Amino acid sequence: MTGIEALAQRLRAALGADQVITDRQELRTYECDGLAHYKVIPALVALPRTAAQVAAVVRACVEAKVPFVARGSGTGLSGGALPHADGVLIVTAQMRRIVEVAPDDERAVVEPGVINLQVSKAAAAHGYYYAPDPSSQQICSIGGNVAENSGGAHCLKYGFTTNHVTGLQLVTPGGDLVRLGGRALDPPGYDLLGAFVGSEGTLGIATEVTVRLTRLPESVRTLLAAFREIDQAGAATSAIIGAGVVPAAIEMMDVLAVEAAEAAVACGYPAGAGAVLIVELDGPAAEVAAQFAQVTALCADNQAFEIRVAADDAERALFWKGRKSAFAAVGRISPDYIVQDGVIPRTALPEVLRRIAGLAAGHGVRVANVFHAGDGNLHPLVLFDDAVPGEAERAEAASGAIIDLCIEYGGSITGEHGVGADKAKYMPKMFTADDLDTMQLVRCAFDPDGLANPGKIFPTPRLCGERPGRHRGGADAAWPGAEVF
Ligand SMILES: Cc1cc2nc3c(=O)[nH]c(=O)nc-3n(C[C@H](O)[C@H](O)[C@H](O)COP(=O)(O)OP(=O)(O)OC[C@H]3O[C@@H](n4cnc5c(N)ncnc54)[C@H](O)[C@@H]3O)c2cc1C
């Protein structure tokens, strides 16, 4: 019996036969996340239903020295949930219980497989919602959100996932079930909760999450402003923030992204727009009314040629429909595309967008831009046709050059999609070897055996306990068997 067969037998006994998958065809379902050009078939998939079962799976992996990877809904865009060919994929999709909604404490306690939007739905009856809203919120899981420190359109005002998680139950990479934080804020000692959020499955597996609930605003007002030039939309964004207004969201789409959204969902954005801004304000009605007038004037001052104000929830939903469908919509105008994710200081938007256009022209590819303008989080979509020889390589080169640009302007290689398998290669561009060694110390403190999601975040890291100065491969070094398409 192979090691994996023995492990499968042990897990079937601990979990139940229907919660362990070893059939190769069935395993293929899990071979990639949202970044579908990396594919690895896992050796085994476990579908635990409880925290105790997650702990049992991890303990079995530790004893067998088998690597394991957590997976929520598999919508990640950096290959974070890419399986390990010799490892176990631990899927939380059967852990979808909302344990408690506690409006008096402004908290909800949920299992990790709960879908993001379900938290808001459960809280709505009490006048609350869960603020972090990735565009994938209808399908992504809270566990995945925690691991990626996910953002969304409304994180400009309300902050990322890390600002909304107050407590965690998790299984450590050693297989212990522990708690960090709780309902109260800011426990003494090191901020281990902060370290875990955004750790991309490398510090353990979240099995229960306590999140902050936010009171539904008294008033929400949304406008859509159309500009002839993308520079004008960038300048309007800076002017709005510079005026001291913090909208709930400022989202920008350029001409190609608008074209794609129109083709996909007929959102009826103004014809002839070189860029569109969606600006949403929320809060007390009187404050929103005053700031809305200010935002409208600032858009007009920056040459918006049309400003539409959503008259009701239906029109507001239509404004957002174009934006929220934009990633998938790009498939209407290009057979293939790379979704890039980088950050720049907001004030550099006009200049960086001009340079991205130059890079696109230089590499002979088209780039559509749809992004969270308010916090400078770019999502350039690099379009290409894989059937045209050399185009995929040029698109990849343009995509990498965009990341270099973000670093040059003092930004970051990722805003919200994480490093995962895809961007580990860019980490040395942003951090020194000493920086990376220091991060490795944190990882090794949680996971001395290097079994939790190996090969992600760090480029060919040193093994735990290895002295700095030499690099060598090992269980952590790569994702054996990865096919890159
Ligand atoms: C159309 C589309 C739009 C998107 N829009 C946004 C957006 O606006 N903002 C944004 O931030 N992201 C966005 N994303 C990316 C993605 O949806 C988020 O990263 C999301 O948080 C991933 O959740 P998931 O459940 O799919 O996680 P998965 O893809 O399954 O996993 C992601 C990472 O989390 C780890 N993980 C999963 N569950 C756990 C757990 N319980 N404990 C520890 N680690 C775990 C995995 O190992 C992996 O490293 C978008 C994706 C798509 C496809």
Side-chain angles (χ1 to χ4, degrees):
M1 198 186 298
T2 66
I4 282 294
E5 281 165 359
L7 190 61
Q9 202 172 62
R10 175 170 171 181
L11 293 181
R12 284 198 180 96
L15 272 59
D18 59 337
Q19 290 169 250
V20 178
I21 300 173
T22 49
D23 175 78
R24 197 151 169 88
Q25 270 319 102
E26 287 182 53
L27 290 172
R28 272 192 180 279
T29 311
Y30 301 95
E31 68 187 359
C32 65
D33 62 6
L35 192 63
H37 61 275
Y38 292 112
K39 290 184 170 55
V40 176
I41 300 174
L44 187 157
V45 167
L47 296 157
R49 296 197 180 123
T50 64
Q53 289 189 347
V54 175
V57 177
V58 170
R59 272 198 301 273
C61 288
V62 171
E63 280 167 32
K65 297 204 184 323
V66 165
F68 56 89
V69 178
R71 176 179 164 119
S73 300
T75 67
L77 292 173
S78 57
L82 186 72
H84 194 290
D86 303 319
V88 173
L89 190 70
I90 303 176
V91 181
T92 62
Q94 298 197 9
M95 298 175 73
R96 292 216 167 142
R97 211 163 49 94
I98 294 183
V99 179
E100 190 185 353
V101 175
D104 290 346
D105 283 342
E106 301 192 315
R107 298 286 183 272
V109 182
V110 304
E111 290 187 338
V114 167
I115 300 302
N116 173 297
L117 196 57
Q118 294 303 326
V119 184
S120 289
K121 286 190 174 163
H126 306 277
Y128 283 87
Y129 73 112
Y130 178 58
D133 60 339
S135 303
S136 52
Q137 69 181 148
Q138 297 196 16
I139 40 172
C140 65
S141 74
I142 291 292
N145 293 175
V146 168
E148 297 290 4
N149 186 21
S150 294
H154 293 83
C155 292
L156 171 64
K157 179 172 178 180
Y158 292 101
F160 280 57
T161 301
T162 191
N163 303 110
H164 297 267
V165 173
T166 64
L168 282 173
Q169 181 197 59
L170 62 102
V171 174
T172 67
D176 295 321
L177 198 56
V178 301
R179 285 193 178 273
L180 299 176
R183 290 182 193 213
L185 294 175
D186 200 17
Y190 293 119
D191 182 11
L192 299 179
L193 190 65
F196 190 91
V197 178
S199 62
E200 303 191 21
T202 61
L203 303 185
I205 301 183
T207 47
E208 190 181 272
V209 187
T210 304
V211 297
R212 185 199 292 264
L213 296 177
T214 304
R215 192 175 276 281
L216 285 163
E218 183 188 0
S219 168
V220 180
R221 298 201 66 191
T222 311
L223 69 75
L224 187 146
F227 301 82
R228 299 278 176 220
E229 306 291 337
I230 199 159
D231 274 13
Q232 297 163 342
T237 303
S238 288
I240 291 166
I241 305 279
V245 178
V246 184
I250 307 185
E251 298 287 300
M252 196 190 298
M253 294 166 70
D254 73 0
V255 63
L256 265 182
V258 170
E259 184 192 322
E262 286 297 342
V265 295
C267 41
Y269 288 173
V276 157
L277 278 187
I278 298 174
V279 187
E280 188 156 282
L281 295 170
D282 67 8
E287 181 187 307
V288 168
Q291 293 193 335
F292 202 75
Q294 206 179 351
V295 166
T296 310
L298 288 168
C299 288
D301 289 351
N302 284 283
Q303 280 87 48
F305 70 87
E306 187 172 336
I307 298 175
R308 291 183 192 165
V309 177
D312 50 28
D313 283 352
E315 195 172 6
R316 179 172 167 245
L318 195 61
F319 288 0
W320 278 111
K321 193 172 176 187
R323 165 62 185 94
K324 297 239 171 184
S325 64
F327 280 14
V330 164
R332 298 284 182 129
I333 60 166
S334 176
D336 305 285
Y337 59 97
I338 298 168
V339 179
Q340 193 45 281
D341 165 47
V343 181
I344 53 162
R346 190 176 42 236
T347 46
L349 269 177
E351 203 175 320
V352 170
L353 291 172
R354 258 196 310 277
R355 288 192 58 188
I356 289 178
L359 280 174
H363 287 83
V365 291
R366 293 183 303 161
V367 173
N369 287 289
V370 45
F371 57 98
H372 310 307
D375 38 28
N377 184 186
L378 302 176
H379 289 317
L381 306 168
V382 186
L383 316 187
F384 66 99
D385 184 349
D386 212 9
V388 177
E391 215 167 271
E393 289 75 13
R394 281 186 277 121
E396 188 61 46
S399 178
I402 290 171
I403 285 302
D404 290 342
L405 205 56
C406 292
I407 296 171
E408 183 188 325
Y409 279 79
S412 162
I413 62 171
T414 170
E416 55 186 16
H417 295 169
V419 179
D422 191 45
K423 288 193 165 169
K425 60 182 177 285
Y426 296 132
M427 289 288 273
K429 292 189 175 203
M430 195 164 163
F431 298 104
T432 65
D434 284 347
D435 293 338
L436 294 173
D437 280 343
T438 306
M439 292 185 209
Q440 233 2 61
L441 290 177
V442 178
R443 183 179 189 160
C444 291
F446 278 77
D447 182 20
D449 296 332
L451 294 176
N453 213 2
K456 312 294 170 61
I457 308 183
F458 298 102
T460 54
R462 293 179 188 115
L463 300 177
C464 297
E466 186 179 346
R467 268 200 254 121
R470 284 177 301 122
H471 290 265
R472 78 165 193 253
D476 252 359
W479 349 287
E483 302 170 51
V484 181
F485 292 81

